[in-house]
């Protein structure tokens, strides 16, 4: 605005410029002034977004042409493509959306009567052409100028974002009236996200599709998913999931105030997310699946995990709810294990994860315990190492028992365990401690007939007591290949595209 604001017939909105005039010559003159000032101030334009000498243009949700100004059909496309209700629940959801804007539709009670009659207790739910006609008329009225408000830059903006099992929906509101609607179906990869990931993704989707309305101003975003409120308040490093970190980074360019409201009050966004447009908005930069989970795991061990996860009754149940949705309440009828952890559990690439820890099937737990203690680290280090990689209920207790049995074995064979005070004050304590650690590794390697390099590898990857970082992380900012890869030292990090292909 500071650079181009003085040019006649040049309209600027955020990072968009509209040049218009009565004649082509006048338009060329204004364009030359814009280009001269841009060159002088070192301002660059995106050549792929330039529309040059067109007779109509899409700008801020409207189509401008020689005929005048009219509404952009893309703003209301989600309404016109709303699927016909097939069940009582679908109909209730549709009527909830209609009632939300009912104050702006005349004679609403008469228009909705055929639909409301289907909801009566003693009436059979039989859909006819009369109901089709009623739904189509209501969709036309919802998208009409009398209901759909023109965007006003001086008015406060509210976004509603909602995610269902297979899709996302959102609406931009001003003064309680919708400005525009959007919805999209989720990709095959996104369908398998945990619920907290889907809900956070719906917020990002809403911000991206309404970018030209909200960029550079403070807006309120409403969501029915309470965990998102605390997630937005966390520092990026305190968020365990890489996907959630990625979403928060993409949201950082927007000034949003995320608040929680019950789902039953989000009529429009909820309805759009459950009856969305099947096509995808591939032009939007909302892909957050480039790195799903990074886990050092050889292909053989990974295949074993996948096979045993399918066979494990408990994990099979978790896979089902991850794919089909968790129940709203955990009662005796619909009891699901780990219900309180449901927002941290996800199913990616045929493996179950609790944040970044992989669920271990029951059949493989003893094998993992053996691998964890193969290098004979202490209880504290072994627990810390295990918590960074694996999860199953009772993991800590199993580690204590396993290492306790190992200690009893040493006693039975009359092994002599000597202890000494580290960092003897009369010597170089740090150097002496390093020597003591090296001797201990060599001694345990000989006694247990364990590869010395493997023992050193595990020590380097185990967090230092009192710190959450291992020696390898402190030195190289990353962990080296660990117990899950020592049979073939290759790091298998899987990259997933938005189409769900590795």
């Amino acid at each position: 605005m500071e650079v181009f604001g003085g040019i006649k017939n040049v309209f600027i909105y955020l990072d968009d410029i509209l040049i218009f005039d009565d004649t082509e010559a006048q338009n060329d003159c204004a364009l030359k002034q814009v280009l001269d000032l841009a060159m002088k101030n070192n301002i660059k334009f995106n050549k792929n977004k330039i529309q040059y000498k067109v007779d109509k243009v899409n700008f801020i949700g409207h189509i401008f042409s020689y005929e005048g100004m009219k509404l952009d059909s893309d703003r209301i496309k989600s309404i016109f493509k709303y699927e016909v209700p097939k069940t009582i629940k679908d109909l209730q959801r549709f009527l909830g959306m209609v009632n939300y804007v009912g104050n702006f539709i005349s004679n609403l009670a008469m228009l909705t009567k055929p639909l409301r009659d289907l909801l009566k207790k003693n009436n059979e739910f039989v859909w006819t052409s009369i109901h089709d006609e009623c739904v189509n008329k209501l969709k036309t009225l919802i998208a009409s100028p009398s209901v759909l408000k023109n965007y006003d830059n001086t008015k406060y903006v509210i976004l509603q974002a909602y995610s269902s099992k297979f899709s996302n929906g959102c609406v931009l509101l001003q003064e309680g009236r919708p400005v525009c609607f959007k919805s999209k179906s989720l990709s095959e990869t996104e369908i398998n996200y945990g619920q907290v990931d889907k809900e956070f993704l719906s917020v990002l989707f809403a911000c991206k599709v309404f970018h030209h309305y909200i960029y550079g101003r403070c807006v309120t975003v409403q969501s029915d998913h309470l965990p998102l409120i605390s997630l937005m308040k966390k520092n990026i490093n305190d968020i365990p999931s890489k996907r959630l970190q990625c979403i928060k980074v993409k949201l950082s360019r927007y000034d949003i105030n995320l608040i929680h409201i019950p789902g039953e009050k989000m009529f429009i966004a909820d309805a759009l997310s459950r009856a969305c447009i099947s096509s995808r908005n591939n032009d939007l930069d909302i892909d957050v699946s480039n790195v799903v989970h990074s886990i050092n795991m050889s292909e053989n061990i990974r295949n074993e995990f996948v096979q045993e996860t399918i066979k494990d009754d408990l994990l099979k149940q978790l896979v089902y709810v991850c794919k089909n949705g968790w129940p709203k309440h955990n009662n005796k009828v619909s009891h699901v294990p780990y219900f309180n952890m449901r927002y941290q559990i996800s199913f990616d690439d045929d493996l179950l994860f609790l944040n970044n820890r992989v669920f271990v099937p029951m059949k493989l737990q003893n094998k993992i315990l053996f691998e964890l203690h193969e290098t004979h680290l202490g209880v504290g280090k072994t627990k810390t190492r295990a918590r960074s990689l694996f999860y199953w209920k009772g993991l800590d207790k199993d580690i204590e028992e396993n290492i306790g049995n190992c200690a009893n074995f040493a006693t039975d064979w009359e092994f002599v365990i000597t202890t000494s005070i580290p960092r003897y004050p009369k010597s170089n304590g740090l150097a002496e401690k390093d020597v003591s650690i090296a001797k201990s590794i060599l001694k345990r390697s000989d006694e247990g007939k364990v590869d010395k390099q493997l023992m050193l590898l595990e020590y380097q990857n185990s967090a230092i007591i009192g710190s959450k970082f291992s020696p390898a992380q402190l030195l190289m900012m990353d962990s080296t290949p660990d117990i899950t890869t020592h049979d073939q030292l290759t790091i298998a990090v899987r990259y997933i595209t938005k189409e769900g292909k590795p």
Side-chain angles (χ1 to χ4, degrees), residues 420-432:
S420 61
I421 301 174
R423 304 191 183 190
Y424 183 62
K426 293 183 180 180
S427 65
N428 185 338
L430 190 59
E432 291 293 331

Side-chain angles (χ1 to χ4, degrees), residues 76 78-85 90-119 127 129-148 178 181 268 272:
I76 54 178
S78 295
I79 292 296
F80 282 118
K81 291 198 174 184
Y82 191 98
E83 294 180 356
V84 173
D90 291 343
L91 181 56
Q92 288 173 333
R93 195 174 290 119
F94 176 75
L95 288 175
M97 177 178 68
V98 172
N99 289 332
Y100 185 83
V101 293
N103 291 335
F104 310 103
I105 300 176
S106 62
N107 206 16
L108 180 63
M110 184 62 69
L111 291 170
T112 58
K113 187 180 184 304
L115 300 177
R116 288 186 288 107
D117 287 344
L118 288 177
L119 300 178
W127 195 268
S129 58
I130 296 174
H131 302 109
D132 279 329
E133 184 181 345
C134 184
V135 167
N136 290 332
K137 189 168 185 178
L138 285 169
K139 288 196 291 187
T140 302
L141 288 171
I142 290 174
S144 68
S146 63
V147 174
L148 200 63
F181 316 91
I268 300 178
L272 290 174

Side-chain angles (χ1 to χ4, degrees), residues 287-298:
D287 178 37
V288 292
S289 58
N290 289 335
V291 178
V292 176
H293 282 95
S294 175
I295 180 166
N296 299 335
M297 185 177 283
S298 68

Side-chain angles (χ1 to χ4, degrees), residues 43-232:
I43 297 173
K44 296 180 181 179
F45 300 116
N46 186 340
K47 64 179 182 180
N48 297 321
K49 293 186 176 181
I50 293 175
Q51 299 181 61
Y52 181 63
K53 290 188 178 180
V54 293
D55 55 6
K56 64 179 180 179
V57 64
N58 187 332
F59 193 69
I60 323 178
H62 292 79
I63 302 294
F64 293 88
S65 68
Y66 67 92
E67 298 174 341
M69 182 183 74
K70 63 180 181 179
L71 198 65
D72 178 14
S73 61
D74 192 49
R75 287 175 60 184
I76 54 178
K77 183 167 62 175
S78 295
I79 292 296
F80 282 118
K81 291 198 174 184
Y82 191 98
E83 294 180 356
V84 173
K86 298 174 183 177
T87 65
I88 290 177
K89 264 195 169 181
D90 291 343
L91 181 56
Q92 288 173 333
R93 195 174 290 119
F94 176 75
L95 288 175
M97 177 178 68
V98 172
N99 289 332
Y100 185 83
V101 293
N103 291 335
F104 310 103
I105 300 176
S106 62
N107 206 16
L108 180 63
M110 184 62 69
L111 291 170
T112 58
K113 187 180 184 304
L115 300 177
R116 288 186 288 107
D117 287 344
L118 288 177
L119 300 178
K120 290 182 178 178
K121 190 173 182 181
N122 297 324
N123 287 358
E124 187 178 356
F125 188 86
V126 178
W127 195 268
T128 66
S129 58
I130 296 174
H131 302 109
D132 279 329
E133 184 181 345
C134 184
V135 167
N136 290 332
K137 189 168 185 178
L138 285 169
K139 288 196 291 187
T140 302
L141 288 171
I142 290 174
S144 68
S146 63
V147 174
L148 200 63
K149 180 179 174 62
N150 283 330
Y151 180 74
D152 186 342
N153 194 42
T154 64
K155 298 290 193 297
Y156 197 71
V157 172
I158 293 178
L159 299 186
Q160 286 188 354
Y162 195 96
S163 179
S164 62
K165 181 180 175 182
F166 298 110
S167 54
N168 288 333
C170 56
V171 60
L172 188 148
L173 302 167
Q174 284 191 311
E175 297 181 328
R177 292 172 62 184
V179 175
C180 46
F181 316 91
K182 287 288 182 178
S183 66
K184 72 177 283 284
S185 56
L186 298 175
S187 67
E188 292 299 321
T189 303
E190 292 167 344
I191 288 171
N192 290 327
Y193 287 0
Q195 193 58 34
V196 67
D197 298 60
K198 287 182 181 178
E199 297 287 353
F200 212 21
L201 186 67
S202 72
V203 173
L204 177 61
F205 170 68
C207 291
K208 287 289 184 180
V209 297
F210 299 138
H211 172 83
H212 290 295
Y213 295 99
I214 69 169
Y215 184 69
R217 60 177 300 173
C218 180
V219 298
T220 295
V221 178
Q222 297 176 342
S223 171
D224 74 327
H225 202 61
L226 193 57
L228 294 187
I229 309 303
S230 60
L231 193 64
M232 283 297 293

Side-chain angles (χ1 to χ4, degrees), residues 9 19-31 53-54:
N9 292 341
I19 303 173
F20 59 95
D21 223 310
D22 295 330
T23 66
E24 186 174 350
Q26 290 173 323
N27 190 273
D28 289 342
C29 181
L31 176 61
K53 290 188 178 180
V54 293

Side-chain angles (χ1 to χ4, degrees), residues 361-377:
M362 184 175 290
K363 192 173 180 180
L364 297 180
Q365 290 174 8
N366 286 334
K367 181 178 180 179
I368 293 299
L369 286 171
F370 174 80
E371 298 282 1
L372 284 167
H373 191 54
E374 187 177 7
T375 53
H376 298 279
L377 297 176

Side-chain angles (χ1 to χ4, degrees), residues 424-442:
Y424 183 62
K426 293 183 180 180
S427 65
N428 185 338
L430 190 59
E432 291 293 331
K433 181 60 179 175
D434 291 341
V435 171
S436 174
I437 291 171
K439 284 183 177 179
S440 175
I441 290 174
L442 292 172

